[in-house]
Amino acid sequence: MRRALAGIALAVTSMVALSFLIPLALLVREQARDRVTTAAEQRAAALSPVLALTTRRADVQQAVAELGSSDQLVVRLPDGGFVGTPHAPEEALDRAVRGRETLAVDTADGWAYLQPVVLRGERVAVVEAYVPAADLTRGVTASWGVMALLALGLVGGSVLVADRLGARVVRSSRGLKRASLALGSGDLGVRVEPDGPPELQEAGVAFNTMADRVVDLLAVERELVADLSHRLRTPLTALYLEADRMGATPSAQRVTDAAGQLERELDSIIAAARTPLASAQLAGAGAAKPCDVAEVVAMRLDFWSVLATQQQRPFERSLTPRPTPVAFPEDDVAAVVDALIGNVFRHTPQGTRFLVRVERRDRHVHLTVDDAGPGVADPEAALTRGVSVGGSTGLGLDIVARAARTADGELTITRAPLGGARVTVSFALADARAVGGGER
């Protein structure tokens, strides 16, 4: 922006300077020429009365000497003789005599002014006032140099002023940019000092207002989440009471275990809702405890196997024996597994077969869930919207897609060999030293 403003100032000021300098330079040259030619004409006119009184060579020479140099003031006497050295062409002198007209003639080395003087007896004398070429342009070069220096000073000053103004604008713009990036990265306390032109000052004030509003909205949202989590404790308590009434049975134990897990999840939600956003992001970015994807999948499959048995759903598991460490929280990986398997249970009929596979490829871990259901009619739309499509496994894909992006992976939906949908999620492998193991 600074270069653009300086370039605009340079172009505009140069155009203005040239539009004035060129005519002014020509005018200065013409003024210098007019000054010396007018003086020459005046000298010639002053000699005319002398010639009207006498044409004696001695008297004319004395008059020429009093009025100027004999090199610049020449008289052609009526008898054809000259007082001084003529510079005008012979044709011009003859023309002035015959036509008795005043002439101005440009010669090879200057300018000559011819003024005829009519004497008694129809005799004609011609006074020649000569100006050398150097006198015609005397002082013009110095004047042009002064004007050029003034123009350069004007152009340089305008460019400097434009650069200073541009620097002020750029400084304010960069401040807004840094504050915007900081706010986007989670620094909710960042604010800007309004500076620069009025428009940028208004933008700075608007940014501060927006940042304050974002903080207020996030605080309200987190309070609502925390309040919702507290409200869920009421039905959770009812589940505990129902399990107590069921007595010491396997079903009661499963209900108690599920209720305990749900309570732990609620505690995590409440703690996260009470944590400031910036702290939560910093913790998630740099302090995430790595976990093993295959171990988490095995644990969640044990949980879902009970419901699969009740619904007569045959399932297979294929978990790689190689370490699969990822720099992603265990709870988030478990949420991804629950979302994918939960989609199978929600959107396929009871008795539908499914397969869960964990593979390690290159620098990523791939978690794949296949089912024998109706599949996803429009996988691209499911990935775009993150909602259910056509009654298949589209519901809850927002959770999975966000997790994949956070773990430097991706989510894909294709057709499974079982006939239904295949949903594959990849996670970037963590450094083996982060978990104290890995491939050797």
Side-chain angles (χ1 to χ4, degrees), residues 304-305 307-316 341-354 371-373:
W304 286 99
S305 63
L307 183 58
T309 300
Q310 292 179 351
Q311 296 186 2
Q312 298 180 350
R313 292 178 180 269
F315 70 93
E316 299 178 21
I341 299 178
N343 278 334
V344 176
F345 280 81
R346 292 189 189 94
H347 301 285
T348 61
Q350 294 190 16
T352 300
R353 180 185 174 190
F354 67 94
D371 65 66

Side-chain angles (χ1 to χ4, degrees), residues 318-361:
S318 177
L319 308 180
T320 177
R322 302 167 63 191
T324 54
V326 295
F328 204 57
E330 180 179 339
D331 292 341
D332 293 343
V333 176
V336 170
V337 177
D338 290 341
L340 294 179
I341 299 178
N343 278 334
V344 176
F345 280 81
R346 292 189 189 94
H347 301 285
T348 61
Q350 294 190 16
T352 300
R353 180 185 174 190
F354 67 94
L355 168 66
V356 179
R357 179 184 296 108
V358 175
E359 300 173 290
R360 175 168 174 166
R361 305 175 188 170

Side-chain angles (χ1 to χ4, degrees), residues 84-435:
T85 303
H87 297 275
E90 185 67 25
E91 296 82 4
L93 290 170
D94 293 341
R95 178 182 173 187
V97 172
R98 291 193 304 268
R100 299 180 182 182
E101 59 179 325
T102 302
L103 300 177
V105 181
D106 287 319
T107 65
D109 53 356
W111 176 85
Y113 174 74
L114 305 179
Q115 180 176 326
V117 179
V118 181
L119 305 176
R120 287 177 299 179
E122 297 299 321
R123 297 180 304 163
V124 178
V126 179
V127 179
E128 175 187 318
Y130 172 73
V131 179
D135 292 345
L136 291 174
T137 58
R138 188 180 304 278
V140 173
T141 303
S143 299
W144 285 0
V146 172
M147 289 188 293
L149 290 176
L150 290 175
L152 289 176
L154 176 63
V155 172
S158 65
V159 171
L160 180 61
V161 171
D163 181 72
R164 292 299 87 199
L165 292 176
R168 186 183 178 196
V169 173
V170 169
R171 183 169 56 252
S172 302
S173 301
R174 287 177 176 172
L176 279 173
K177 173 188 174 182
R178 287 192 296 268
S180 300
L181 293 175
L183 182 64
S185 63
D187 185 3
L188 300 181
V190 65
R191 297 295 184 271
V192 298
E193 184 67 28
D195 190 18
E199 293 80 4
L200 285 178
Q201 293 183 16
E202 294 175 0
V205 173
F207 175 85
N208 292 337
T209 303
M210 177 193 68
D212 293 338
R213 183 59 177 165
V214 168
V215 171
D216 294 340
L217 291 176
L218 288 175
V220 171
E221 180 181 359
R222 299 182 78 81
E223 288 296 330
L224 290 176
V225 172
D227 182 67
L228 177 62
S229 301
H230 283 295
R231 290 174 180 270
L232 290 177
R233 290 190 180 277
T234 300
L236 183 62
T237 303
L239 285 177
Y240 277 123
L241 295 176
E242 185 66 23
D244 290 339
R245 284 195 294 268
M246 292 173 64
T249 62
S251 298
Q253 184 60 42
R254 286 196 298 271
V255 171
T256 301
D257 294 341
Q261 181 182 358
L262 180 58
E263 185 175 14
R264 289 190 295 272
E265 295 292 341
L266 287 176
D267 292 337
S268 300
I269 293 175
I270 294 173
R274 297 296 187 184
T275 303
L277 180 62
S279 300
Q281 288 187 343
L282 289 175
K289 183 179 179 181
C291 67
D292 191 284
V293 175
E295 294 179 359
V296 176
V297 172
M299 178 185 65
R300 299 313 300 160
L301 276 176
D302 292 339
F303 171 81
W304 286 99
S305 63
V306 178
L307 183 58
T309 300
Q310 292 179 351
Q311 296 186 2
Q312 298 180 350
R313 292 178 180 269
F315 70 93
E316 299 178 21
R317 69 177 72 189
S318 177
L319 308 180
T320 177
R322 302 167 63 191
T324 54
V326 295
F328 204 57
E330 180 179 339
D331 292 341
D332 293 343
V333 176
V336 170
V337 177
D338 290 341
L340 294 179
I341 299 178
N343 278 334
V344 176
F345 280 81
R346 292 189 189 94
H347 301 285
T348 61
Q350 294 190 16
T352 300
R353 180 185 174 190
F354 67 94
L355 168 66
V356 179
R357 179 184 296 108
V358 175
E359 300 173 290
R360 175 168 174 166
R361 305 175 188 170
D362 297 329
R363 300 300 301 169
H364 285 78
V365 179
H366 292 261
L367 167 62
T368 303
V369 177
D370 295 346
D371 65 66
V376 179
D378 191 351
E380 183 177 353
L383 290 175
T384 302
R385 298 193 296 266
V387 297
S388 61
V389 179
S392 187
T393 57
L395 188 63
L397 290 182
D398 274 342
I399 298 174
V400 181
R402 283 197 300 269
R405 288 192 298 267
T406 304
D408 192 20
E410 61 179 356
L411 167 67
T412 59
I413 301 177
T414 57
R415 175 66 65 175
L418 297 179
R422 165 173 283 184
V423 182
T424 302
V425 186
S426 62
F427 303 90
L429 282 169
D431 190 342
R433 291 173 296 179
V435 293

